[in-house]
């Protein structure tokens, strides 16, 4: 339960009452009740309104609206407004606005336009957080703190440079150590004095757009350190506010809404500092549903599987996509249940009332420009609100159980995508999705895991492209296999240590004995090229030869069993898939990127071996997930397709909670519809 | 008549005698006479030559060439050379060179490299204009003033910021009003002191390339204001010079040559300040002829239909296109007559003699590098000069009459193309062309009109994508319909007021009662998607279903008659085309972007209803226009195709003026040929 | 012989011992011996290690490794480490780091990040060169100096501006002359004081990306002068070091490794100053082999045909291509022999031991990350080392003889690619390759020549797109033809003088009388367009009509014989190919870009006329070249294809040197295999 005050799902939206007059506030309350809204987030962007100058704080208007909400049974997710400092502040304290990678100092404008190492920003953001906490510490409406908004902008100014050096001193202690870890013997980059260190930017070591549009760098270790430092600097901003708040309202949980699965911040570290994980889900209408599921699973992982909160989604239309489709009828509901089925205990929207001006005015809201609720979208929102009320006893606080962990790691993400060679197409999330999606298709639940976590609860752990891996994580993974686990990893894994130094000796460095192989060469294929995997008969797969591409490695077995071999080119006959016994477990290596069908068969094989079963067997266009509470299982069935689909419930009989019907045998589900089944 | 001194067409070119010696001047005069040149423009880029330092003015060489021209019967379009300040001036007064959107201060170089708010530029450009006016006030050669050259570069420097604030104070009076109109409650952007205002740039509120390559912005109202301010700042530069000149030579008209249909300047405001409208026509050889016709019609609109002047075109080849084709034989003549047929009383070229150096040396000129007139292009120029002399009595000062106005508005252009959502493909000129071209194909003349103009002379007014519209314009349009006019508008029109604030209540805000509809949703389609329009039988069109794409709106009729309905998706059956009776007139709404064939049929329907007839019925590859003088009609027939074409003149008999022949019945016109018919 | 100390081929690599400990040094020596390495390049990037502060020089570690190498029979190509200054130096002397074209001042980072006009860089780079020369002047290991590394970065700072002005004063003497040569009468750019001159940059006269991604400019003459100046400034850096070194070790030759065929430096001027030409060959695996051959031929030309040195290539995989393929088995050997067959007397690699960190760690090396030589690539390297030893007596110091020169000129390159019009596709190297490749396909050797060189040794000279040409070169070419030579040139040649001023009168200016034609118009075709060449019967080619595109000129013969005519458009029937008798020779003009088949036939025709014969007749996928020494010929046969190929040796009998076999008649050559034949 996110807050004891709200027993059911959080259902509400970002609310910007300062854009509207008080007559409209009343109408807002009326419509909130129509939709069953029980919580709103505010005042996300009202710093300038609250603090007109350094010494003037005015909470009166905020008091008034919060009281009004509370009187009407609506709680408040209280936001600190620090994502956009007032114009007077940018003017008075020029250290606040950020400097970009090209050395361009920004002036006031936009949002998240602050340097995370600006002393004045740090001081003033703590001050406003403290003032708010003091002001609202006793207000019964407050159920959650929402610090800042969608953190994630880097800065490259002189204050950042100074703090970077300080951070480096703490991390490396001596310049000798720093020079070694940064490999500065390359290109004669030895640092003899801490002050010689520059931040890696387009004016020093960053090569913008060099890698298929992503930034390259001359010194990966330096560039990755800067990301670690920046993630940490921004986290310090969060913590600065959180500390002030926790002193005053230790009983109220704190969150910050994550933007997508942000590559700028090491979210596992952020998860440790938040009380509740929450995020903003803005998929493109072209994103495959499995990608959205993956993102939910990442967010759920941040607090170790505890229910999270969907902080923002759009009721229908976004405004910043190139082409902003309306969500088709049923899609908003479908995506909301997808979110809940992956562990959210709330559905919140951006925003309550659609703005009349500025750049987000064509982002749909719960109250559209027409001003009333008698619209298609309005009706869908009312229905969802009602449905959620009926589910709260069963679903709230339920958990998701999985026997499979998929490893994700931010330092690895940065390292992979800064790598100069072998291929610019070697992006990280796409590689994870190659393994996530087949399991999604099979309706087998997975957890996203950090490589240093306790893995013993899993039967299988999959680590796509785990290129950078610390000793500690290596040992963790080895113990998991020794104890009987099944570990699957891919090409170019285990290659470097946390400093992005190659683990010399032989590829795949860290995992060589675990996998029982030696990789002699790593070949990169042009996008139009492919190779094939000739499957050994014992695998008993659907086809004899599967396509593969991206990377093909020349693998020598040194104990591992070869399950598939390359079909072409000078490494024809060399192992493409190997399996090695290690302790009581197995370690499987996939030395290329096979087509989806192959990976699906491979997942089936090892799930079978580990007795991991699908929740239900369905067509791939149906998503099935499960939440569990008090030993009761709630099966979510989501039809993402445009066609009605049939599902075989086999021998069991279920109660369907949304339509309150009993189901058994072969059932039909309409396009975009959702079933929630409880065994009957 | 542009000038009483030149009874016929202006025929000439930009002339840069300062690139050549006096021997060549004599040869220039000889060849001007061969081609029938009667006017040249100079000295467009000679500021550095005239003014070697702040206090040295030397007009002697200019006096000499102007005298020589005049002695030989050639008049002068006298240019102020202020489009390119001298290098010494950029050095002496660093405020002059511009600062770009990224905050980069330019150094001397290029042209139009001046800040329009530079005090020194303003002072010195007025000074040279005054000196020139004093020097040439009594010279009989001068027939026109040509101020500057192709204005249109924006600046983002501190002087611009200061003047922007001044301009804003005048516009908004109070900060309270500015904050309201800029909607600064969004993202906490409240301004508490005028000096907190920054110019919208890439360092503040502009998002370069965000919208399909066009710049986005966080605050549309601020960004549109900056365009209004910049257009006005540049116009003040023009007016600064014009004022000095008008004091001294009130009898000589003033123009400035517009570059294309420049989106940087609100040309309707510029039209008010020029005595003659003139422009530079540099189509790509891939531009459809209708686009060129549209641009001519825009320029004609700037002075309310008065004859304009084509100031520049190339005799054959441009140099700055990616691929610079020669104009095929006949094309230069064809494009010249196209220009005249849309209202120009002159044909001028860039430039007289082809430069031997620098970046425009491969732009063809009347005197090519070979140096003589015995070339294909030379012969075409001589022929055109002779033909024009034969036409001057009939055509000069004739007008174009149209019963259809198409609305175009610069603030709307800016607002449409800054809009974040619903679709990046929602560009303005393309939308206008969707309606302009079918009328062009039908040989029905149109005027381009400003939404605040008197519309009573028109039977039909078409307003494609009139998204931003002021109250005054709404009333103007409503009066037009009340009085019996037919008004046609499209999706996403009437949505915002002049501050880019949504007109709350229901879409299409401003036009809801006029159109008798409510638009519930605005859906944006991906480029590869389409929907269909099922046409009601009463429309009696060529097909039952037409394709449509880009935007599809969910339209509820509230009194309007539905003429066509969507064929697919969740809004299948909802109105795509509606017609509403309003006063004595009709208002038609097109809630999507239909294929060309549909719009052509729609135009035919309402032209028929309004008894608007084609000048002649021809194939679409033939353009037919008409100029009228003293109740005599001169019909221009232009064959833009590569094939001979037949035209049925029906019952009338005509004299063809160019070949001096009598034509009737079915006639043939050769590829690229031109007929000018007078009833016989 | 590059050095008398090494009788055979230079065989070795860049060596960075400062990245490794001394245990590894010993292993390095062992493996060097395995591969037969006889020379290594060092210490390319060790400035920071050698010079820890301005007054501290420490050569002890370098002494130690050089001694160790020498004791083991391995020589040293001694590099000055000036391509990457130490961080302390960038900090202490801010004038050193460069400023880019947008005015952005760089901070320490990367490499080649120095301003070539920085007084401190010049002083300190000379100082380190002198110190190194002093320290190693008597060391017997040193066989060659390698100054800096891959020069070629431009700067746009105030020091560059000052030196540019100085350079201009020397070149032009007076401002009057400069204004004339820069054509500053255009756009009123007259300079009245030297200090008014700005460097051409994105803030002045350069238009980044304007021309199909290449930079455009307003003033070609100014922009070309800046390239000449920059090439010269960088050469002065080289000469500054070379001068210090030559004073101390006049007996040791000096080189610098050229990066590709760098467009930033006028390599013919650099060739004059180097004792040995050397370069780094990093083709994309998609480059056609003929392009690599061309680049070798360019480098050979720099020292007038003397053997050059391949300084760097990768044993297998690069890291900075988008997709870094492994070189397939045999390819490294094949490319090495291709290099030797074009005149190299050495094969060196980047690098000896693969780095464990930073951005080049996935660039393969002679010692891979696995650390031993028992790899596919290791075996290929050992084999090549052995083979080369067997060839040294015959091949070292042998020469290549050619009867055909193809003109290449850097100023022309710059001028062509800065030209605004007629076509952005008019790139220079691609135009040269249109003529180079057919001769390559025919196994006819060519030399690359500078237009001012003595051409009398050639029978044919081909000048593709020789747009900019000085009077001296014109006379040189005319003399060549007068004396009986065959000269072939193409469209848009002879147009401008060295100031990029059009040679007025008639195109093709400089070559009009030589070619006996007048080009009236130059038409540019869109990429999707084409025209045809109707071939005169006497040419007796394979087809009657060949395709052509890019440029089509309207050519009037004024004495020349027309050999082919355009097939379409308004210039149908005009000459596309002409031949003119001039003195005892012939001058051929190709007024368009024909398809490859046509140019091959044309080359055959004029080779036949000049009795120039292929070395061998083979399929196009076989490359055949020849080196000659002491009147003995060594024929290299390279099978670049993926298939075995047959070759007819006709009547001769040969000894094949690599496999030591006797060959005659029709022989087979395996894919990627190489034969070196000596007449038997």
């Amino acid at each position: 339960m996110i807050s004891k005050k709200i027993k059911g799902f959080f259902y509400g939206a970002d609310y910007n009452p300062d854009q509207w007059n008080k007559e409209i506030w009343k109408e807002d309350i009326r419509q909130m009740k129509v939709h069953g809204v029980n919580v709103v987030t505010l005042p996300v962007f009202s710093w300038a309104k609250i603090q007109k100058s350094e010494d003037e704080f005015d909470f009166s208007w905020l008091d008034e609206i919060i009281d009004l909400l509370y009187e009407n049974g609506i709680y408040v997710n209280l936001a600190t407004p620090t994502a956009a400092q007032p114009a007077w502040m940018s003017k008075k304290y020029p250290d606040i606005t950020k400097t970009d990678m090209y050395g361009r100092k920004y002036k006031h404008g936009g949002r998240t336009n602050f340097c995370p190492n600006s002393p004045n920003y740090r001081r003033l953001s703590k001050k406003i957080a403290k003032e708010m906490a003091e002001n609202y510490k006793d207000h019964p409406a407050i159920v959650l703190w929402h610090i800042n908004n969608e953190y994630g902008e880097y800065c490259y100014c002189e204050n950042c440079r100074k703090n970077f050096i300080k951070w480096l001193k703490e991390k490396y202690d001596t310049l000798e150590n720093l020079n070694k870890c940064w490999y500065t013997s390359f290109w004669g980059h030895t640092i003899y004095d801490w002050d010689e260190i520059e931040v890696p930017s387009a004016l020093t070591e960053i090569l913008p757009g060099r890698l298929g549009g992503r930034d390259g760098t001359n010194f990966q270790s330096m560039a990755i350190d800067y990301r670690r430092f920046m993630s940490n600097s921004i986290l310090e901003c969060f913590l600065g506010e959180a500390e002030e708040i926790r002193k005053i309202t230790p009983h109220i949980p704190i969150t910050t809404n994550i933007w997508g699965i942000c590559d700028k911040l090491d979210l596992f570290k952020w998860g440790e500092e938040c009380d509740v994980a929450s995020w903003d889900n803005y998929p493109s209408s072209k994103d495959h549903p499995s990608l959205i599921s993956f993102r939910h699973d990442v967010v759920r992982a941040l607090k170790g599987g505890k229910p999270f909160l969907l902080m923002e989604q759009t009721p229908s239309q976004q405004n910043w996509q190139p082409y902003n489709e309306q969500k088709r009828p049923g899609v908003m509901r479908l995506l909301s249940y997808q979110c809940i089925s992956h562990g959210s205990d709330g559905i919140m929207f951006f925003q309550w009332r659609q703005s009349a001006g500025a750049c987000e005015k064509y982002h749909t809201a719960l109250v559209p420009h027409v001003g009333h609720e008698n619209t298609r979208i309005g009706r869908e929102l009312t229905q969802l609100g009602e449905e959620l009320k009926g589910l709260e006893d069963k679903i709230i606080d339920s958990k998701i159980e999985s026997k499979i962990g998929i490893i994700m790691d931010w330092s690895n993400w940065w390292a992979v995508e800064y790598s100069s060679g072998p291929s610019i197409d070697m992006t990280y999330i796409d590689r994870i999705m190659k393994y996530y999606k087949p399991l999604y298709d099979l309706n087998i639940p997975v957890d996203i895991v950090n490589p240093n976590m306790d893995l013993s609860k899993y039967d299988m752990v999959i680590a796509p492209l785990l290129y950078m891996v610390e000793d500690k994580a290596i040992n963790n993974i080895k113990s998991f296999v020794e104890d009987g686990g099944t570990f699957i990893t891919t090409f170019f894994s285990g290659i470097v240590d946390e400093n992005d130094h190659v683990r010399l000796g032989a590829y795949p460095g860290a995992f060589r004995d675990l996998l029982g192989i030696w990789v002699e060469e790593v070949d990169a294929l042009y996008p139009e090229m492919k190779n094939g995997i000739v499957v050994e008969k014992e695998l008993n797969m659907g086809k004899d030869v599967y396509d593969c591409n991206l990377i093909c490695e020349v693998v020598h077995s040194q104990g591992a069993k070869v399950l598939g071999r390359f079909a072409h080119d000078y490494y024809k006959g060399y192992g493409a898939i190997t399996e090695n016994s290690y302790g009581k477990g197995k370690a499987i290596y996939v030395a290329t990127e096979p087509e989806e069908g192959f990976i699906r068969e491979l997942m089936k094989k090892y799930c079978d071996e580990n007795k991991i079963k699908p929740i239900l067997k369905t067509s791939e266009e149906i998503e099935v997930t499960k939440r569990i509470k008090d030993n009761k299982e709630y099966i979510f069935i989501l039809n993402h397709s445009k066609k009605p689909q049939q599902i075989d419930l086999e021998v069991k009989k279920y109660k369907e909670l949304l339509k309150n019907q009993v189901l058994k045998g072969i059932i039909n589900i309409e396009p975009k519809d959702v079933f929630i089944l409880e065994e009957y």
Side-chain angles (χ1 to χ4, degrees), chain A residues 5-17:
Chain A
K5 292 180 185 171
I6 299 183
K7 305 284 179 203
F9 290 91
F10 272 49
Y11 192 60
D14 271 38
Y15 184 32
N16 293 295

Side-chain angles (χ1 to χ4, degrees), chain A residues 47-48 81-90 96-97 108-109 112-114 121:
Chain A
W47 201 349
T82 51
Q85 72 275 9
W88 65 259
M89 201 180 279
S90 298
I96 291 181
T97 56
H108 187 76
T112 332
N113 179 10
F114 56 85
Y121 177 79

Side-chain angles (χ1 to χ4, degrees), chain A residues 1-7:
Chain A
M1 213 164 288
I2 296 164
S3 162
K4 285 176 194 160
K5 292 180 185 171
I6 299 183
K7 305 284 179 203

Side-chain angles (χ1 to χ4, degrees), chain A residues 408-527:
Chain A
M408 177 169 175
D409 181 74
W410 263 260
S411 280
N412 181 51
W413 189 353
W414 299 331
V416 162
E417 300 199 356
Y418 272 140
S419 179
S420 179
S423 170
I424 59 165
D425 288 348
M426 214 173 58
T427 47
Y428 187 44
I429 300 297
D430 298 317
R431 304 288 83 67
I432 293 178
M433 288 309 296
K434 291 283 172 185
Y435 289 80
Y436 184 92
K437 184 172 177 295
L439 291 165
Y440 165 94
D441 288 343
L442 293 167
N443 300 323
I444 293 172
V446 304
D447 282 348
I448 302 303
V449 297
N450 175 307
N452 290 318
M453 277 174 54
D454 175 15
L455 302 173
S456 63
K457 61 182 282 202
Y458 300 107
D459 295 329
M460 276 172 66
V461 167
I462 305 169
L465 191 51
L466 189 56
Y467 163 72
M468 170 178 278
V469 58
E470 295 177 79
D471 290 352
K472 191 180 150 194
I474 297 167
N475 294 332
N476 191 39
I477 290 166
K478 285 185 178 173
S479 300
F480 165 75
V481 183
E482 270 168 2
D483 294 346
T486 297
F487 176 66
I488 301 172
T489 189
T490 75
F491 59 86
F492 219 56
S493 292
I495 301 293
V496 296
D497 66 16
E498 67 272 28
N499 298 313
D500 202 58
H501 292 191
V502 172
R503 293 175 176 278
L504 294 174
Y507 302 151
F511 296 130
R512 193 179 168 191
D513 57 336
L514 176 61
L515 293 163
I517 55 169
W518 164 40
V519 173
E520 183 179 342
E521 298 181 23
V522 181
D523 191 33
L525 276 63
Y526 283 87

Side-chain angles (χ1 to χ4, degrees), chain A residues 207-222:
Chain A
L207 310 164
R210 175 73 187 77
L211 301 166
R214 301 187 311 281
D215 294 343
T217 177
N218 299 316
F219 284 83
Q220 279 75 14
S221 34
M222 195 187 301

Side-chain angles (χ1 to χ4, degrees), chain A residues 78 207 369 400:
Chain A
L78 194 62
L207 310 164
H369 287 141
I400 285 167

Side-chain angles (χ1 to χ4, degrees), chain A residues 87-208:
Chain A
W88 65 259
M89 201 180 279
S90 298
K91 196 89 187 172
K92 185 170 181 186
Y93 300 113
D95 62 306
I96 291 181
T97 56
K98 72 173 177 250
T99 296
D100 73 10
M101 199 171 61
Y102 297 91
R104 295 182 292 221
K105 168 76 176 165
Y106 281 54
K107 297 171 186 171
H108 187 76
R111 61 177 190 177
T112 332
N113 179 10
F114 56 85
C115 163
N117 290 296
S118 153
N120 283 304
Y121 177 79
R122 292 247 181 135
R123 176 176 62 79
L124 290 159
S125 59
K126 285 168 76 165
K127 173 80 173 157
I128 183 79
K130 186 180 171 192
E131 292 285 333
M132 286 188 77
E134 290 287 2
N135 200 66
Y136 295 105
K137 66 182 171 196
D138 299 320
H139 202 295
I142 315 304
V143 290
L144 185 64
W145 280 99
H146 171 294
I147 290 183
N148 206 282
N149 183 69
E150 296 183 348
Y151 277 114
E153 286 286 313
Y154 287 7
C155 178
Y156 300 82
C157 74
E158 182 63 17
N159 281 324
C160 288
R161 191 178 80 89
K162 280 182 194 153
N163 278 10
F164 185 45
I165 292 170
K166 207 173 133 196
W167 183 89
L168 291 169
K169 279 182 183 166
E170 277 164 32
K171 176 168 183 181
Y172 293 110
D173 195 29
T174 66
L175 275 174
E176 190 187 352
N177 192 28
L178 174 131
N179 278 311
K180 188 172 146 254
C181 291
W182 277 10
Y183 209 83
T184 58
S185 54
F186 180 75
W187 290 359
H189 270 44
T190 310
I191 302 290
Y192 291 112
D193 185 294
W194 291 98
D195 195 42
E196 288 163 25
I197 295 169
E198 303 286 358
V199 302
S201 76
L203 305 178
T204 62
E205 307 290 6
I206 300 293
L207 310 164

